[in-house]
Amino acid sequence: MKIRTWLSLSSIALLLSLSSLAKAEWGVNMTEGVTEISQSIYDLHMLIFWICVAIGVVVFGVMFYVMFKHRKSKGAVAAQFDESVTLEWLWTVIPTIILIAMAVPATKTLVEMYDASDAQVDIKITGYQWKWQYDYLGEDVSFFSNLSTSRDAVYNKEEKGENYLLEVDKEVVIPTGQKVRFLITSNDVIHAWWVPEFAVKKDAIPGYVNESWVNVPVGQEGIYRGQCAELCGVDHGFMPIVVRAVSQADYATWLDEQRAEKEAAALAALGDYSFDELMTTGAEVYAGRCAACHGQNGEGMGSMFPPMVGSDIVLNDVEKHIDILINGVAGSAMQSFAEQLTDVEIAAVITYERNAWGNDTGDIVTPRDIIDARQ
Amino acid sequence: MATSSYYVPESSRLPIFTSIGLICMAAGAAGMINHISSGTEGWAFPHFVFFTGALIVAAVLYNWFGMVIKESMGGLYSQQMDRSFRWGMGWFIFSEVMFFAAFFGALFYVRQWAGPWLGGSGDKGVSHMLWPDFIYQWPMFNNPAGADLPGPNAIIDPWHIPLLNTILLISSSVTITFAHHALRTMQRGRVIFWLAFTVILGAVFVYYQILEYVEAYRDLGLTLASGIYGSTFFMLTGFHGAHVTIGAIILFVMWIRIVKGHFTPDQHFGFEAAAWYWHFVDMVWIGLFFFVYII
Amino acid sequence: MTTTTAAHDDHGHHGPAKGIMRWVLTTNHKDIGTMYLWFSFIMLLTGGVMALIIRAELFQPGMQLIEPEFFNQMTTMHGLIMVFGAIMPAFVGLANWMVPMMVGAPDMALPRMNNLSFWILPFAFGMLLLTLFSEAGAPNFGWTFYAPLSTTYAPSSVTYFIFGVHLMGISSIMGAINIVATILNMRAPGMTYMKMPLFVWTWFITAYLLIAVMPVLAGVVTMMLMDIHFGTSFFNAAGGGDPVLFQHLFWFFGHPEVYIMILPAFGIVSHIIPTFSRKPLFGYSSMVYATASIAFLSFIVWAHHMFTVGLPLVTELFFMYATMVIAIPTGVKVFNWVSTMFQGSLTFETPMLFAIAFVILFTIGGFSGLMLAIAPADFQYHDTYFVVAHFHYVLVPGALFAIIAGVYFWLPKWCGNYYDEFLGKLHFWLSFIGVNITFFPMHFIGLAGMPRRIPDYALQFADFNAVASVGAFIFGFSQLLFLYIVIKTIRSGKQATPEVWEGADGLEWTLPSPAPYHSFSEPPQVK
Ligand code: HEA
Ligand code: HEA
Ligand code: CUA
Ligand SMILES: [Cu+2]
């Protein structure tokens, strides 16, 4: 008796905790998302899930019944039948019908997902090791978006924030109530652009362009987070996606701001910078953009990523140094930073590399040098 | 002649030597290739490993086949054993077919899908925005990357060397059949003649194939590195050429065995296996001639 | 052992040679089977240790133990070693032991080649493992090695990896040819195809899958080699190739490959369940047809791994429908097993426990497979831990449990002693609980959005990851118990009868336990 009550009490407790799991904020189930497509995918997911549960209950139910009733220890004597054509037909035909019932809504949803026509906004998304570039086609707006969580947080030297690993230095902004088409490609290896709330996941294939689209309903303005979903090298786990959906009016304002900023940066390059200013900026840029491959202290990483400390190019060859930053090294992970960094930033990081960690060359590279080199 | 129960050989040294030889070849080849690619020092060791491995494998093969021949001549093999060899060889050839299928698959895929997409048509035609200057055509004289990765200037004319080679290989399939018939009717002189003829046809084929490659590299700018046309062209014809070479060597060994008087009219599986292989190589060529050269 | 050997030795052979050379030089199917099984177990521990490293790092958010670069190497090597080193060789080992006995043959059809097939493997895996200690590090591009991460952007150890794959391919093809030849050609008189035991049938079909797809794998790694070192453009759009071409070729191999890892498991379970239900297998012929259908379908579903690469719509639909169809023949199998148990006289020895767990947990894995097959939904599941949960359910309590069940089932036949039933059951319960604690929560974190192949994750996934890691250690360490049980059984234990199990049926049970060195020197007659 005692054991019985214990058992039933604990199973009730288990059930309760399971159901609270289901409600918990951090989720045990697929998100319903915010778009029509994501909603129909969620419905599809739940439909198949419940069908599987039902089949499971029947199949496992029979099994458990058999395991309790037809035991030898309970004196069960084995029957000797080994065939039943009717039954075998039945369990071929019924699953077939069930499968067709699943295939119909699945096909419908898929056809919708594939229809990227009539988009009002076109954004070209390019995957890089390990960041995303966003190009607003026809708008003259283009920028890169990097992980902004600090390495110290990753290495547990610093408190992890709420959006640990899911935050970036510059969000991609889209308008609500409009069909936004994504043209997804890559600059190096395969990545995948995934935002669960939109149910958009598409591989970024170097040399090819994949289409996908989203239409965030008006009223669903907000921040949506996702991650790269295809193994793309060391920092595959560290290339998040953050989308800010804003009203159409805010979107227009934002576009204007972006253009203004770009002009300001070009102007800034013409100014004068002291060694200390360059070093400070350079240290920031280095930590944010270069350290992932070349190490926190320029020590390099494995045999694939050369150290900056004691590098011949860094110590001796200024021109080559500038050239590598602007053009990258073809066929390697060392990409061109011409588009990713402003002239000031490039000048600063070069100056920094040439003077940090005992690379005391005393060289100063100015933004003007970069402007010249770009020509 | 044949025993009734199944022959289970005693333990043998040959397999383990083969494994050692193979691993030496694999590790050596990997080391060699890495050194060639990166141009680093220390190339001598991998070469040494590779060639040692190759020597071991060659020695083992010689002994292994020698042993099988001896056992076969010694009448240790039953009819059943003979069938095991047949099934084994048959399915081995099937696996070779699948190997070529991978390369043919790549060729079809590129021509049917990837190429047109890059050129702006089909389901993924938007990809054209990355290669605005690229126009798709096959043979692909211009690659998407344009000047950075130049395509071939010209391609091999199918109606010269390739046509000749087609005739050579088809004839060789016929001559080996003559040899087989002769073997079945125990006309040794004719077997020796037709088989020798077949081997020579194979050798001439390989010779012309080499000429063709020289022409491609020297005059046409058609190389492994000239884009997907060159890649598929050389991989398909190259692996085929390698198979012809191996097939011809096997046939040559069979020729020696016949000269030594090894086969009988109703027991000559070694010869038949070689002939099957040769027909397979021939069939692959016909596929190549159509899909690589002509169309 | 010596007496039985001598009694069955009418070829004038002596029994096994002594010492290590017995194993190195052997042409005997039992010796080779034993070596395959031990090799596979060592690989299971090696790959398992890597899994435990992965799980230890994922125990908490943040990087604690290893660097991301090493994490990727662990993921890659874990997948490769488990698939090619643990599961496949284990099945080949079981086939070596059991197929000749089941069809009434003295040995495998091509015994020397058999030895070669085996001995290639330790060398090939030795080479692969050595790359861990090389300067460039081991392969780090996932067991699916997608180009161009595995070509242009790969560490130099990729060249060794490529040649290693070639060697494994050679070994598998030779092993498969051997099994095909044995089954086609060495069946005892009277054993028609439709009288062959199911383990033989499933391996027969598996062998064809191997012969058909391993060469394609060899082809695709050769293309990689050429792209990396000789300037070809197979997977490079700049020269007119396509990285997605790699995936088509890989999965043309890869999908049949996963059935290679499950069909022999179906065979094993189809022996164990009837034995302990004391009842003939329900629907023998539909089992055979279902296996053949699964094998056939496996060639036309590969692109379900590529739903998000941007396939044209019709392609996507075709592969979705074709994949869904596989549920039907697989369902037939599950229903047949349940019907076999129905109105049986069941006992629950260790092999039966593992077999029942197989049926239930594999079916759960199959259900999640079916969910993945629904293309629109796969846009949300793809490359998340939901997929990891799916395939571990079909591989660990699927393939691996079936292997373990088979070992317990046949161990008395192999070494003449019964294993310790209490320890066996203990092993079962530890494994069963451990496996579910490890892999069930992965469904949740996957659905909640955690991508796979990442060394660090956002905070909301922390709790379930911790649970999974604990489970992994329980499951992993339980396998040491398995090792202990097997060694103990080899050394001592209750003497087994020829029949071993009360409900056993088949030629293999007519041989004495332990089985003689050359199984059937005179072919038995099958009625
Ligand atoms: C033993 C190995 C094994 C087996 C047997 C299976 C079986 C199946 N798998 Fe799985 N799969 C893998 C190993 C395996 N898989 C691996 C390793 C990967 C990942 C590879 C990687 O990316 O690294 C993978 C990935 C994978 C994907 C890609 C996911 C992604 O990356 O996005 C898909 C998608 O369709 C899929 C589907 C299926 C299906 C439909 C089955 C079916 O065969 C299942 C059929 C069984 C059942 C359905 C249950 C029993 C049936 C019934 C009780 C009948 C009634 C049921 C119904 C009508 C619903 N699998
Ligand atoms: C084929 C079979 C197979 C098997 C049996 C397993 C077994 C396990 N797998 Fe594996 N797994 C794969 C196949 C398999 N896996 C594949 C194909 C992938 C994909 C790889 C990729 O993405 O490329 C994968 C990926 C994978 C991941 C995802 C990694 C990632 O995405 O980054 C994880 C994470 O938890 C995981 C965990 C485990 C665990 C905990 C086990 C446990 O079952 C392991 C149990 C542990 C042991 C059996 C070890 C016992 C040893 C000891 C206790 C130590 C003894 C020590 C000495 C004797 C010295 N696996
Ligand atoms: Cu980019 Cu993963
Ligand atoms: Cu699959």
Side-chain angles (χ1 to χ4, degrees), chain A residues 128 130 132 189-192 228-233 235-237 239:
Chain A
Y128 283 72
W130 294 279
W132 296 97
V189 301
I190 301 179
H191 305 265
C228 176
E230 182 62 61
L231 178 61
C232 52
D235 278 357
H236 160 60
M239 59 181 289

Side-chain angles (χ1 to χ4, degrees), chain C residues 44-45 47-49 51-52 54-55 58 71 75-76 78-80 82-83 87 142-144 261 385 388 391-392 395-396 400 435 438-439 442 452-454 472 475-477 479-480:
Chain C
L44 177 74
L45 292 190
V49 168
L52 296 185
I54 293 174
R55 284 308 337 162
L58 291 177
F71 183 92
T75 299
T76 307
H78 164 69
L80 287 170
M82 286 301 195
V83 169
I87 304 294
W143 87 282
T144 52
M261 292 188 283
Y385 264 77
V388 177
F391 67 73
H392 281 96
L395 282 168
V396 184
L400 186 60
V435 107
T438 313
F439 298 114
M442 291 188 188
R452 58 191 280 210
R453 295 167 166 171
I454 57 174
F475 179 73
F477 280 93
Q479 303 322 307
L480 295 180

Side-chain angles (χ1 to χ4, degrees), chain C residues 4-37:
Chain C
T4 44
T5 308
H8 284 262
D9 193 3
D10 59 358
H11 294 292
H13 302 319
H14 34 82
K18 293 278 151 355
I20 177 103
M21 283 329 241
R22 160 179 177 187
W23 302 100
V24 176
L25 306 181
T26 184
T27 49
N28 179 277
H29 73 104
K30 300 196 180 71
D31 288 352
I32 295 174
T34 306
M35 290 195 295
Y36 264 114
L37 288 169

Side-chain angles (χ1 to χ4, degrees), chain A residues 21 26-31 38 41 44-45 48-49 52 55-56 59-60 62-67 70-73 76-84 87-88 91-92 95-96 99 102-103 106-107 109-111 113-114 129 154-156 160-162 164-166 187-190 194 196 199 201-203 205-208 210 227-238 303-304 331-333, chain C residues 61-64 67-69 72 135-136 140-142 146-149 152-155 237 241-244 247 277-283 285-286 308-311 313 316-317 320-321 324 328 332 334-336 338-339 341-348 356 359-360 363-364 367 370-371 374 376-377 379-384 444 447-449 451-460 463-464 502:
Chain A
L21 274 186
W26 29 274
V28 292
N29 200 358
M30 184 191 283
T31 169
S38 70
I41 288 180
L44 209 52
H45 159 72
I48 307 156
F49 172 70
C52 288
I55 298 174
V59 176
F60 305 149
V62 175
M63 271 183 92
F64 281 111
Y65 172 82
V66 170
M67 286 194 292
H70 302 162
R71 297 170 169 254
K72 193 179 179 204
S73 56
V77 181
Q80 290 300 314
F81 64 86
D82 66 356
E83 217 171 22
S84 158
L87 266 181
E88 288 176 63
W91 63 50
T92 314
T96 311
L99 289 173
M102 290 179 188
T107 308
T109 308
L110 196 66
V111 171
M113 291 170 76
Y114 261 72
Q129 280 181 326
V154 172
Y155 287 90
N156 313 307
K160 296 182 175 36
E162 189 195 352
Y164 176 67
L165 293 186
L166 296 176
N187 179 59
D188 34 51
V189 301
I190 301 179
W194 179 32
K201 183 187 281 150
K202 254 301 147 68
D203 288 9
I205 316 270
Y208 290 80
N210 275 327
Q227 273 176 279
C228 176
E230 182 62 61
L231 178 61
C232 52
V234 193
D235 278 357
H236 160 60
F238 303 93
S303 67
M304 296 287 285
S332 88
Chain C
M63 301 302 302
Q64 288 87 17
E67 290 297 316
E69 170 58 23
N72 287 350
E135 198 198 346
N140 56 7
F141 28 65
Y146 281 8
L149 185 62
T152 320
Y153 297 85
D242 187 352
V244 174
Q247 299 181 23
S277 305
R278 293 167 182 74
K279 200 168 150 269
L281 181 69
F282 186 89
S285 40
S286 63
T308 65
V309 299
L311 300 171
L313 179 61
E316 194 108 338
L317 287 172
M320 172 169 89
Y321 300 146
M324 291 169 77
I328 299 167
V332 168
V334 172
F335 299 135
N336 280 347
V338 178
S339 310
M341 288 165 67
F342 196 79
Q343 292 190 351
S345 165
L346 275 66
T347 51
F348 298 92
I356 291 173
V359 175
I360 295 176
T363 303
I364 292 178
F367 286 153
L370 193 78
M371 296 172 77
I374 308 295
F379 279 83
Q380 292 286 44
Y381 307 134
H382 177 69
D383 255 317
T384 66
F444 300 140
L447 290 173
R452 58 191 280 210
R453 295 167 166 171
I454 57 174
D456 191 10
Y457 48 84
L459 300 178
Q460 69 265 35
D463 299 319
F464 282 130
E502 192 190 354

Side-chain angles (χ1 to χ4, degrees), chain A residues 139-340:
Chain A
E139 300 286 357
D140 193 27
V141 169
S142 166
F143 57 87
F144 282 80
S145 174
N146 293 274
L147 173 76
S148 62
T149 303
S150 76
R151 293 273 144 181
D152 281 347
V154 172
Y155 287 90
N156 313 307
K157 290 175 198 141
E158 191 182 277
E159 192 75 23
K160 296 182 175 36
E162 189 195 352
N163 293 314
Y164 176 67
L165 293 186
L166 296 176
E167 52 204 353
V168 296
D169 55 1
K170 197 161 162 77
E171 299 148 356
V172 53
V173 175
I174 60 168
T176 52
Q178 286 194 318
K179 188 163 180 178
V180 180
R181 180 167 72 139
F182 301 121
L183 295 153
I184 301 169
T185 183
S186 164
N187 179 59
D188 34 51
V189 301
I190 301 179
H191 305 265
W193 197 84
W194 179 32
V195 177
E197 253 86 15
F198 300 166
V200 170
K201 183 187 281 150
K202 254 301 147 68
D203 288 9
I205 316 270
Y208 290 80
V209 176
N210 275 327
E211 290 174 297
S212 191
W213 62 274
V214 69
N215 192 341
V216 181
V218 177
Q220 294 286 6
E221 288 76 15
I223 304 251
Y224 300 105
R225 295 172 201 275
Q227 273 176 279
C228 176
E230 182 62 61
L231 178 61
C232 52
V234 193
D235 278 357
H236 160 60
F238 303 93
M239 59 181 289
I241 294 150
V242 181
V243 184
R244 184 150 50 94
V246 298
S247 69
Q248 283 166 38
D250 288 352
Y251 175 67
T253 327
W254 178 82
L255 281 179
D256 289 337
E257 276 168 22
Q258 296 310 303
R259 292 186 204 111
E261 249 175 51
K262 199 171 155 194
E263 274 166 38
L267 272 180
L270 299 173
D272 287 318
Y273 292 86
S274 71
F275 178 74
D276 288 342
E277 278 171 329
L278 289 173
M279 285 298 278
T280 324
T281 319
E284 277 168 24
V285 175
Y286 185 85
R289 301 300 183 85
C290 321
C293 295
H294 295 294
Q296 304 256 308
N297 297 309
E299 71 276 19
M301 189 168 63
S303 67
M304 296 287 285
F305 304 101
M308 295 293 104
V309 180
S311 150
D312 184 49
I313 294 171
V314 174
L315 290 180
N316 301 317
D317 196 343
V318 189
E319 264 163 43
K320 182 82 191 154
H321 200 170
I322 298 177
D323 175 68
I324 285 186
L325 272 244
I326 292 180
N327 298 315
V329 180
S332 88
M334 183 64 203
Q335 53 214 247
S336 156
F337 282 89
E339 300 274 308
Q340 308 192 28

